[in-house]
Amino acid sequence: GREVRGSSGGVEMRERRFDEMPQDARADLSFLQSPQSAMREKRFTATGELLCLVDEAGAEEVDDAVRAAREGFAEWSRTPGEERGEVLRRAAGMLRERHEELARLEVLDTGKPLREALSDAGGAGVLSLLAGHASTTCVRGSHTPTSPSTFAYTLREPLGVCAAI
């Protein structure tokens, strides 16, 4: 296997190969490593120190990832709001547990100051907010009077796959 170990900025890094992942995680993430993928060195911008090797995704891998997300969406959209909220709460907790480590990795990756990276790595609050919406608004919806004899009812539901870079 291609493995790089190192320590920079107080963060120990070890590339985790796809074949080392637990089997239950591999089943749905097989698109993450393709025989066509090339490895690229990731270096610390300040010193040039080798941090790790990363797989580069091409068009085929991106298409596979979108396809897997669409397949997963079918199940996710049928999942009750309370369960979706719990998944998002757990994800927020994981981000909070590793907040400083993620920020330090961002420093190594981009060269930005730690203070800025700590702010950028703060997605846990957003996930917590969305967890609350999934557990409440998505479960019971909202009722808004539009006139003395009519009303509008809004139920928030998952719409589909989105991607971010």
Side-chain angles (χ1 to χ4, degrees), residues 104-123:
R104 289 185 180 280
L105 288 171
E106 181 72 359
V107 168
L108 295 173
D109 185 38
T110 65
K112 67 174 62 174
L114 180 59
R115 182 184 306 190
E116 184 179 336
L118 284 166
S119 174
D120 290 350

Side-chain angles (χ1 to χ4, degrees), residues 41-92:
E41 292 182 348
K42 185 65 183 162
R43 296 189 173 273
F44 182 32
T45 55
T47 65
E49 176 187 356
L50 181 63
L51 298 173
C52 63
L53 299 172
V54 294
D55 285 304
E56 288 189 335
E60 185 177 332
E61 289 89 359
V62 171
D63 288 345
D64 290 345
V66 170
R67 192 174 309 108
R70 285 188 176 135
E71 290 171 8
F73 174 74
E75 181 178 342
W76 177 254
S77 63
R78 288 189 304 270
T79 303
E82 294 93 346
E83 288 180 42
R84 289 196 310 262
E86 183 54 35
V87 168
L88 293 171
R89 268 188 285 286
R90 284 195 318 263

